[in-house]
Amino acid sequence: MMQEKVRELLEKVSARKLSVEEALRQMKIEPYEQLSCARVDHHRALRCGFPEVIFCQGKRPEDITEIARAILRKSSCLLATRADEAAFRAVKKAHRKAEYHRRARCVTVIKKKPEPQPGQILVICAGTADIPVAEEARVTLEMFGHGCQTIYDAGVSGIHRLLSDSDKISAADCVVVVAGMEGALASVVGGLADCPVIAVPTSVGYGASFGGLAPLLTMLNSCAAGVAVVNIDNGFGAGFLAARIARRKCAG
Amino acid sequence: MMQEKVRELLEKVSARKLSVEEALRQMKIEPYEQLSCARVDHHRALRCGFPEVIFCQGKRPEDITEIARAILRKSSCLLATRADEAAFRAVKKAHRKAEYHRRARCVTVIKKKPEPQPGQILVICAGTADIPVAEEARVTLEMFGHGCQTIYDAGVSGIHRLLSDSDKISAADCVVVVAGMEGALASVVGGLADCPVIAVPTSVGYGASFGGLAPLLTMLNSCAAGVAVVNIDNGFGAGFLAARIARRKCAG
Amino acid sequence: MMQEKVRELLEKVSARKLSVEEALRQMKIEPYEQLSCARVDHHRALRCGFPEVIFCQGKRPEDITEIARAILRKSSCLLATRADEAAFRAVKKAHRKAEYHRRARCVTVIKKKPEPQPGQILVICAGTADIPVAEEARVTLEMFGHGCQTIYDAGVSGIHRLLSDSDKISAADCVVVVAGMEGALASVVGGLADCPVIAVPTSVGYGASFGGLAPLLTMLNSCAAGVAVVNIDNGFGAGFLAARIARRKCAG
Amino acid sequence: MMQEKVRELLEKVSARKLSVEEALRQMKIEPYEQLSCARVDHHRALRCGFPEVIFCQGKRPEDITEIARAILRKSSCLLATRADEAAFRAVKKAHRKAEYHRRARCVTVIKKKPEPQPGQILVICAGTADIPVAEEARVTLEMFGHGCQTIYDAGVSGIHRLLSDSDKISAADCVVVVAGMEGALASVVGGLADCPVIAVPTSVGYGASFGGLAPLLTMLNSCAAGVAVVNIDNGFGAGFLAARIARRKCAG
Amino acid sequence: MMQEKVRELLEKVSARKLSVEEALRQMKIEPYEQLSCARVDHHRALRCGFPEVIFCQGKRPEDITEIARAILRKSSCLLATRADEAAFRAVKKAHRKAEYHRRARCVTVIKKKPEPQPGQILVICAGTADIPVAEEARVTLEMFGHGCQTIYDAGVSGIHRLLSDSDKISAADCVVVVAGMEGALASVVGGLADCPVIAVPTSVGYGASFGGLAPLLTMLNSCAAGVAVVNIDNGFGAGFLAARIARRKCAG
Amino acid sequence: MMQEKVRELLEKVSARKLSVEEALRQMKIEPYEQLSCARVDHHRALRCGFPEVIFCQGKRPEDITEIARAILRKSSCLLATRADEAAFRAVKKAHRKAEYHRRARCVTVIKKKPEPQPGQILVICAGTADIPVAEEARVTLEMFGHGCQTIYDAGVSGIHRLLSDSDKISAADCVVVVAGMEGALASVVGGLADCPVIAVPTSVGYGASFGGLAPLLTMLNSCAAGVAVVNIDNGFGAGFLAARIARRKCAG
Amino acid sequence: MMQEKVRELLEKVSARKLSVEEALRQMKIEPYEQLSCARVDHHRALRCGFPEVIFCQGKRPEDITEIARAILRKSSCLLATRADEAAFRAVKKAHRKAEYHRRARCVTVIKKKPEPQPGQILVICAGTADIPVAEEARVTLEMFGHGCQTIYDAGVSGIHRLLSDSDKISAADCVVVVAGMEGALASVVGGLADCPVIAVPTSVGYGASFGGLAPLLTMLNSCAAGVAVVNIDNGFGAGFLAARIARRKCAG
Amino acid sequence: MMQEKVRELLEKVSARKLSVEEALRQMKIEPYEQLSCARVDHHRALRCGFPEVIFCQGKRPEDITEIARAILRKSSCLLATRADEAAFRAVKKAHRKAEYHRRARCVTVIKKKPEPQPGQILVICAGTADIPVAEEARVTLEMFGHGCQTIYDAGVSGIHRLLSDSDKISAADCVVVVAGMEGALASVVGGLADCPVIAVPTSVGYGASFGGLAPLLTMLNSCAAGVAVVNIDNGFGAGFLAARIARRKCAG
């Protein structure tokens, strides 16, 4: 695409419809014009079919409102993660359709519903305390047009619960596994699934969990092949990647 | 499938073609018969279309020979990873077609070539010292029938090298990024790709690399969404997962 | 018992069968005579019914021979752990009946077979590379007169294998779970067992296993209650504790 | 038991008292019906004779009330750990008999007193700041019908204090040792006891205690065999395991 | 200089203008008189041409006011870092010209503007959340008389944004790179720049960022030579060092 | 002493002035009577000439009051460390003479002034933020009757300041060095002193200080022999040990 | 420069001296031709005036020879770091002028001596065991045409040694400080110098040095501003950066 | 003393027996002449009455011989620590009286026996594997003229052994406690002793000992006041410090 743009410019230069100076300026500026802070993401959204995302943590409400407005000028939807009540109000100020998913700590603005995507995605979480991270993944997937099934509270200490859902696991195109404490769920699911498994360690737990280090290491060392790991508590990242994987199917 | 087997048994019981005791024995044993150590993998191979794999490190040559023989009785191919010369000879003893991929530290036995799979997979590595891990991913992919392109020695300190290959990155269905030292390559590729990116930290480096901890943390914290991480030096795991992701496409 | 000894001394003093000085000397020395380096363990063996143990790692062969001789003068059996070939020869020099359990890296000397103990102990390990540690536990248990059942190569990625043995788990009085890599096996077994579970993380694995840190943290964070953890690779400790737990039954 | 259930179904099918479809449905559902989130625990409680437990930390009051109600519909008692005042009120809302053990940070509901269990359990803690964790163990044990003795403030820097209680240690069927700071108490008790010792590191301390890492490592490296470790601050886990060990005695 | 002072004293002694005792006293005291707490910094300021700096974190407001007053008695400007509102008021109390740079968390007092320094310094930061640290560097540089250019929000996941500014990077005499999360920006800039690059990891991020450990390790392991690292969040240190490096140019 | 007590008892038994039972009871109880929680410390105080100490952190005010009262019944002075305002009020409730050393976060009660001890102790700290820990050491020393000199704010970045005080260092019988950040001061002082140096790392700092880990490691690795380290922020421990070292002198 | 190349192409296209296709091909290839593995560095060398560098560790001799040959075809000098005897022979095979700096573990090939550069660089190391890393920095600097002064074995425990060289420190344009163990030297030098200080932690030491972690943290937390840190044992990186800093002076 | 030297110079200058230039040169050189590498230690030895020490690890034999010769030219004795057989031969080459203490891994050269020092020092170690470190402390003490008593193999798991030696502990002027694994011995001894206790963690152990980290943290967190810690395996440092502490007594 960039290639084509350059060819076009070259042809104009060759046809003397464009001066060297102007071509140079455009070659220098064009690809970059859309690359300044806010703009690059429009470009990305267009190319990828994915909505814009704001990571709210550590951002001031006024910045959130401003970024949200900028995004919504060009994009039909918006996802804001790690959003507390103040962040929600900040997005609300930018657009009245802002909706707060409290458990997922996400705010969404959907001006136009995303097109439904094919691909079955399954989100499993180990304990009730892992639900917020699982929900962040689920909301992310929905923003991308993916419905997803969920199995919550499926810890490995009651392995039968999980096995009773092995059909869902078999049917999935991608499974997101969210687990804190010891994170063993990822290995068990990895052994049952034959699709890609994305593991999300959570900071749920105490003591030797060391803020999610324990499940992180567990998941990285998973004896089940086919499991990859994202950052601790990164439900969004898991959802985003799951959507990318599922899209493979439709793109084929 | 398991369901069907049980239904079949039940119908035989109902038809009195099978005694309760025998049905019970079969229900207990059958699903498990193939689950004793070596056998479970045949099952897995059949179900997944993936060859058997031996992780050689820490295994005695005699064990490797025995496991290799067991696998090759039922499977048309075999992959042995983390294989030194002794492990190679051990596999060779099991099958004369054993081939040693020295750089990848892998042994393969291919009795029948795997069917070519669709899906473009790209393996990129940062430095020449990362090549063994990248090669492990490549050999794994080939065993699964996936050809793959490689871009080796594409460190971020010479970012232009990588950008010159951005077309390959755009065209890929899945990118495997292998990098030691600071592992920043994953983030840069993650920003260029719109397909799933699997990052493999390597233990290449020294000092504050702490045996691969540095690139591992880098990759987990990647600012580019769509990147997931496997264990340090786990080229096989990355190749395996990439194959699973690419298969999505054909399965659709 | 110590109480009784003191009472005895006091009564002798009161009866003037013992001088104050001598009583004082005995009170000072007696309880301690058996407490000098080698002797304390005789005392311990008598009290606990457990044989003597030598941790060979870091000990010089000549020391091992000497300690082994000292133990075998008073004890009917001996266990030497972390024993390489040199350590085996050192024990052999002390007693011709020394037997080398190569996989378990243990040497045993059994002058008189220990009395069989009640209590079903089950040793489960995740991968073939964990077998040496599991064997150390098994040999330890046998030295204490406990037969034990073993389930080797029962990783959670093939959960069905483990479930097929759930009867054995239900029947056990104590389960020792040995696992490296991610150590998730402990949680799964912990969820199936209703007896005490002793988890032994192993240093098996690579990369983010960090020498056994990953399974150690996993096991400490196990979501299944009833699981306790011993040091990395400490098969002896697990066997020792399992024997203590199983003895509860017979002592009741 | 599960076996028996299946045999029963098979016999009904053989006797044509049950259709294949219905048997299939029951085999699929039955073992799982009781395995959905809340229900699985009823099953567990029945099987193990242990009451239900809610880990309150990170749970919302409304969830606690709901879970408590669900448990108390079928169970005669309830234990809620890591409960602050709000959690207490939430349980109180579910049942008026809720009692708050402030030091232990536990709430208990006892509709019917558990049957007294045999087996002497001793809970020792090192400093006054370790008492909450020790109390969590004690309350847990009481819920399971075990009385237990306690020795609080028995730090190793005043070793005589501990030795004066060596009779209690000798008499115990299981000792729970709770210690923060350097956690050396576990090794000393481990040397005095000939029953299983469960060590609980606490996050009590400062500086190089690193949130309990110091006593955790100390306890894992204990030179006294027969010591196993649970997670930092996990008084409940220690109590639970101690009860399981003590029950061995009565089960014999 | 110190040498000269001593020579002077010696000459006075030789000329008997100074007694041995007095010379001894002066030699002992003189070099140190200006070295007591507050004074040493005046000395430093004079020698280095750099203003005084107060690190406010952990200092009480009354101490800040007092130190600020002491500095401003002899110095024409003052920089206070890690300053919250209370610290600002404390400095304000010392001098009415105190100005609060909220984003940079810095207070400056400029009685006389510093002389403009030559040397182009460029401050780049990865995400909006890294801006406070970048601003601390910028304010520091301004206090030293260096204007500096800034490129904010230039994360490597959108590498084109950065490349579009490669001219600025080429033109710089020193680049300060501020980045949290994975910190890969330092390597990319290091590959583009041919001037010294000072990398500042920030504690921005979550999960496996471990309070800035991830970008710290990334930056230390940078595959691009010419990159050095300062402490996590240490914008002041980076600015200070950049000023020192830039001054090289003018000093030559 | 304990020896003597036993001899005395034995002699009484021998002289039939004491029954065996009574002697037994006394031998069992006596040495332990004073060993129950509060009492053991009286014993210690008497033996060591040191006052009682309460570590307030994590203790409830009512407990502090009670312990303070118990101590002050038998002891002429009391030291309470890590005391906030509430802890101060709690001690005040126990004794009206309670005095609060705010910077040191200590409360002292001095019913009778301790006898002045010989031995010059010098407390040096690196930065103003380290003063609270240094003050804790100083107050501790004063409670033990040791006057001490202090050099505060003597960081190694202005090494001349420290050198100007090298006479004080030479004259000291023990030096306590308190430093956060990089803790290099301990090595420098260790090189100047020829008396024992006790290093106290503090949690002062940020970023890669990791709560005091950095200065802790620095001090442990000190290239200057004669330096020993206590826990992070443990001013009391350093003062206590310094007093013990200084007492050597007088005891000789 | 790249800009100029593009302008030139555009002008040729405008002048129809170059077809669009050809221009496109050149724009695509040209900037990249020199970007394949070996070539990119020629480009870099030309731009930066710095010789090529091979990091030998983990590279096979045959690869080293090949890379060395490739570099020496276009470059007048070559530096190979982390070179053992085998690596030296490998470079020697590529060029007969290869010289081995055993202590620095470096090989240099100097076909034409680099032009002498202005700027005084001082390399200081703490202990004799740190000399190899210091020498790596020195050899690197010499390859870049910088003479440098060295002060070896200047540990802070004998601070006078260092102070006696304070004139050299004052005169330097950049100081490289190499230190293992506790690394305090960087802070002391940082306090004496008013030029940029580059600190290199080394893995020299034992125990709590943790492979260089201790001096690394020390240096990052240095209380002296103006100190930046490179990776553990990275003498080359320090030399490279020092050269860049010193070049500032001449470039001005 | 340095003071005196300067006064002397000043008086000569005042008396015109010395030119200003010459005084300046001497003041500049004199204090420093003895400060070049080898010489500074002579000075130190004279001042401190302590022999010279060579840390052999990482030093080449030829360097060891040279340093040993330099020391022995001026000193009557020499201690070389961390000495393997090669290091021993290197010292032997410097002086024929070199003696190798194999267990302590030390070489000593005693041309003239050190004067016996007062002060009872007790070295206690936990296990037989800790003996080398304990011996390093003992040899060090002997070099300084201190006899010392030793209690080896006194682990806390057999606490009675230690208590039987409580008289020795009470009588000591300083106790050195050497322990690996969990290091609890330091706390127990710290509770028994009323003299300074120097704790030396050792790298003895395995698994979660993490190279001595476990006992290091244990000792730093010791609940017994009066304990200070030196680096892992640093027997020399402990002996050196113990000698300094004991010397206090005689100096008084």
Side-chain angles (χ1 to χ4, degrees), chain A residues 155-160 163 180-185 187-188 190-192 205-210 213-215 217-225, chain C residues 155-160 163 180-185 187-188 190-192 205-210 213-215 217-225:
Chain A
V156 295
S157 70
I159 201 73
H160 296 285
L163 295 179
M181 296 185 77
E182 94 279 58
L185 187 62
S187 295
V188 175
L192 295 172
Y206 62 93
S209 157
F210 294 122
L213 180 64
L217 294 183
T218 303
M219 288 163 168
L220 285 167
N221 285 285
S222 178
C223 56
Chain C
V156 296
S157 71
I159 200 74
H160 296 286
L163 295 179
M181 297 185 78
E182 95 279 58
L185 186 62
S187 294
V188 175
L192 294 172
Y206 61 93
S209 158
F210 294 122
L213 181 63
L217 294 182
T218 303
M219 289 165 168
L220 284 167
N221 286 286
S222 177
C223 56

Side-chain angles (χ1 to χ4, degrees), chain D residues 145-252:
Chain D
H146 291 277
C148 73
Q149 284 190 288
T150 57
I151 305 175
Y152 287 176
D153 198 14
V156 295
S157 70
I159 200 73
H160 296 285
R161 283 185 282 175
L162 193 65
L163 295 179
S164 72
D165 285 314
S166 58
D167 286 356
K168 285 185 194 165
I169 295 173
S170 302
D173 286 290
C174 185
V175 182
V176 172
V177 178
V178 179
M181 297 185 77
E182 93 281 57
L185 186 62
S187 295
V188 175
V189 171
L192 295 172
D194 62 349
C195 66
V197 173
I198 305 165
V200 193
T202 72
S203 55
V204 167
Y206 62 92
S209 157
F210 293 123
L213 181 63
L216 171 61
L217 294 182
T218 302
M219 288 165 169
L220 285 167
N221 286 286
S222 177
C223 56
V227 178
V229 186
V230 297
N231 198 359
I232 297 164
D233 292 335
N234 190 4
F236 163 72
F240 185 96
L241 182 54
R244 279 203 168 170
I245 288 171
R247 273 197 328 163
R248 292 294 102 195
K249 199 172 180 173
C250 56

Side-chain angles (χ1 to χ4, degrees), chain A:
Chain A
M1 186 169 65
M2 223 164 98
Q3 282 295 99
E4 287 162 37
K5 174 137 215 137
V6 176
R7 177 193 296 272
E8 204 183 309
L9 284 175
L10 284 171
E11 279 166 355
K12 284 190 188 154
V13 169
S14 176
R16 303 224 169 116
K17 290 178 183 159
L18 202 69
S19 72
V20 165
E21 282 313 305
E22 181 59 19
L24 199 56
R25 204 191 55 79
Q26 282 197 28
M27 287 181 72
K28 216 165 111 196
I29 296 171
E30 260 328 287
Y32 310 128
E33 191 190 46
Q34 67 272 44
L35 292 166
S36 76
C37 170
R39 272 165 291 177
V40 83
D41 291 310
H42 297 309
H43 179 80
R44 179 168 253 244
L46 293 172
R47 194 179 69 219
C48 312
F50 283 159
E52 296 288 326
V53 179
I54 308 173
F55 181 79
C56 296
Q57 192 177 293
K59 288 208 177 65
R60 300 177 303 181
E62 55 266 38
D63 292 351
I64 293 171
T65 305
E66 188 189 326
I67 300 172
R69 274 187 187 133
I71 290 172
L72 287 165
R73 265 195 292 278
K74 298 224 180 169
S75 171
S76 65
C77 52
L78 166 78
L79 171 62
T81 63
R82 302 285 168 111
D84 55 14
E85 295 278 347
F88 168 47
R89 283 192 300 270
V91 180
K92 189 92 184 176
K93 208 175 279 181
H95 201 285
R96 65 183 170 78
K97 275 197 173 170
E99 190 181 350
Y100 192 29
H101 307 258
R102 192 162 274 101
R103 272 226 137 164
R105 294 164 304 177
C106 290
V107 181
T108 54
V109 179
I110 300 177
K111 299 200 297 199
K112 200 192 112 197
K113 266 196 108 171
E115 270 188 57
Q117 299 290 324
Q120 291 277 12
I121 295 167
L122 180 62
V123 177
I124 309 180
C125 83
T128 53
D130 300 316
I131 291 177
V133 176
E135 282 289 289
E136 190 181 285
R138 196 188 55 74
V139 168
T140 300
L141 282 162
E142 282 187 1
M143 284 299 285
F144 293 169
H146 292 276
C148 73
Q149 285 191 288
T150 57
I151 305 176
Y152 287 176
D153 198 16
V156 295
S157 70
I159 201 73
H160 296 285
R161 283 184 282 177
L162 192 65
L163 295 179
S164 71
D165 284 316
S166 58
D167 286 358
K168 287 185 194 165
I169 295 173
S170 303
D173 286 290
C174 184
V175 181
V176 172
V177 178
V178 179
M181 296 185 77
E182 94 279 58
L185 187 62
S187 295
V188 175
V189 170
L192 295 172
D194 62 348
C195 66
V197 173
I198 305 165
V200 193
T202 72
S203 55
V204 167
Y206 62 93
S209 157
F210 294 122
L213 180 64
L216 171 61
L217 294 183
T218 303
M219 288 163 168
L220 285 167
N221 285 285
S222 178
C223 56
V227 177
V229 186
V230 296
N231 198 0
I232 297 165
D233 292 334
N234 190 3
F236 164 71
F240 185 96
L241 182 55
R244 279 203 168 170
I245 289 171
R247 274 198 328 166
R248 292 295 101 192
K249 199 170 180 175
C250 56

Side-chain angles (χ1 to χ4, degrees), chain H residues 56-77:
Chain H
C56 295
Q57 192 177 292
K59 288 208 178 66
R60 299 178 304 181
E62 55 267 37
D63 292 350
I64 292 170
T65 305
E66 189 189 326
I67 300 172
R69 274 187 186 134
I71 290 172
L72 288 164
R73 264 194 293 278
K74 299 221 180 172
S75 171
S76 64
C77 54

Side-chain angles (χ1 to χ4, degrees), chain B residues 3 7 14 16 21 27, chain D residues 7 14 16 21 27-28:
Chain B
Q3 282 296 95
R7 176 193 296 274
S14 177
R16 306 228 166 111
E21 284 313 305
M27 287 178 75
Chain D
R7 177 193 296 274
S14 177
R16 304 228 167 113
E21 283 313 307
M27 288 179 72
K28 216 166 112 196

Side-chain angles (χ1 to χ4, degrees), chain C residues 3 7 14 16 21 27, chain F residues 7 14 16 21 27-28:
Chain C
Q3 283 295 98
R7 176 192 297 271
S14 178
R16 304 228 168 112
E21 283 313 305
M27 287 179 74
Chain F
R7 177 193 296 272
S14 176
R16 304 232 168 109
E21 283 314 304
M27 287 178 75
K28 217 166 111 194

Side-chain angles (χ1 to χ4, degrees), chain C residues 3 6-7 10-11 13-16 20-21 23-24 27-28, chain F residues 3 6-7 10-11 13-16 20-21 23-24 27-28:
Chain C
Q3 283 295 98
V6 175
R7 176 192 297 271
L10 283 173
E11 279 166 356
V13 168
S14 178
R16 304 228 168 112
V20 164
E21 283 313 305
L24 200 58
M27 287 179 74
K28 218 165 110 194
Chain F
Q3 282 296 95
V6 175
R7 177 193 296 272
L10 283 172
E11 278 166 356
V13 168
S14 176
R16 304 232 168 109
V20 164
E21 283 314 304
L24 200 57
M27 287 178 75
K28 217 166 111 194

